[in-house]
Amino acid sequence: DVKVTQSSRYLVKRTGEKVFLECVQDMDHENMFWYRQDPGLGLRLIYFSYDVKMKEKGDIPEGYSVSREKKERFSLILESASTNQTSMYLCASSFYRLAKGETQYFGPGTRLLVL
Amino acid sequence: GDSVTQMEGPVTLSEEAFLTINCTYTATGYPSLFWYVQYPGEGLQLLLKATKADDKGSNKGFEATYRKETTSFHLEKGSVQVSDSAVYFCALRLRPNAGGTSYGKLTFGQGTILTVHP
């Protein structure tokens, strides 16, 4: 069974703290993604990675960075957390097969509150 | 740019009612279309998808048909259940580029909250 796990379901941090969100997938997928989900805005892509040590900016990368040192792990880093980064963060992974296209599989999400 | 527009929610229905959630898109190129569902407290799960015009995706009694002429991918179910209460997201993905990378960025609608009462 496909599995994407995120290190925490809930986090509370203070403004200015450095925050690490971890995501692990066990499906040997090449691609991994970080989204944030906010009411009325749907999901917005922060960063994605299509290979180890590779990363690409998504639609809203400001204030975030990422790290992918191993294929199965993709970390999202908030260098200095701010209150406007309070949100639900979702990780996803995918692979592409020519005949079947691509499906993204999502983790359960991390709800981050920045005080 | 690419975008997805869903009907505004929340949608509240009684059990066994007919459901339609509208979704329209704008895209350069020829996208694949998806419906994802998010149950309370969980991440997103793929509900169904369609990869070319006139394809019909279906799963768990839900259906959606890829209409290129109207750029739409409306979600329907003939008889909803309380367990269908969730947030539904329409999304599109352009085909991966020819440069060799396999990713395809998903663009999501804003989500529609569905509540089904007994």
Side-chain angles (χ1 to χ4, degrees), chain A residues 9 30-31 33 35 37 40-43 45 48 50 59 88 90 96 100-109, chain B residues 34 36 38 41-46 49 51 87 89 93 95-96 101-111:
Chain A
R9 293 300 299 271
E30 299 97 347
N31 310 316
F33 307 81
Y35 296 88
Q37 180 183 2
L41 297 177
L43 274 72
L45 182 64
F48 61 94
Y50 52 87
D59 299 318
M88 169 73 92
L90 291 167
Y96 181 78
K100 296 186 176 182
E102 176 185 349
T103 296
Q104 290 191 18
Y105 297 87
F106 284 81
Chain B
F34 303 82
Y36 279 83
Q38 185 180 33
E42 299 183 13
L44 274 70
Q45 303 173 22
L46 178 66
K49 66 180 181 182
T51 58
V87 184
F89 293 92
R93 180 182 58 80
R95 296 191 187 285
T101 56
S102 63
Y103 69 87
K105 175 190 164 186
L106 278 175
T107 299
F108 286 88
Q110 74 270 34

Side-chain angles (χ1 to χ4, degrees), chain B residues 11-17 19 79-86 88 114-118:
Chain B
V11 175
T12 303
L13 295 173
S14 298
E15 208 165 24
E16 299 184 3
L19 169 71
S79 175
V80 293
Q81 306 300 312
V82 173
S83 57
D84 293 327
S85 298
Y88 292 82
L114 171 66
T115 303
V116 181
H117 293 297

Side-chain angles (χ1 to χ4, degrees), chain B residues 9-57:
Chain B
V11 175
T12 303
L13 295 173
S14 298
E15 208 165 24
E16 299 184 3
F18 184 84
L19 169 71
T20 300
I21 301 178
N22 290 339
C23 171
T24 58
Y25 67 90
T26 58
T28 55
Y30 199 22
S32 296
L33 300 173
F34 303 82
W35 277 101
Y36 279 83
V37 59
Q38 185 180 33
Y39 297 105
E42 299 183 13
L44 274 70
Q45 303 173 22
L46 178 66
L47 181 60
L48 53 84
K49 66 180 181 182
T51 58
K52 61 183 187 296
D54 300 324
D55 265 2
K56 178 184 283 188

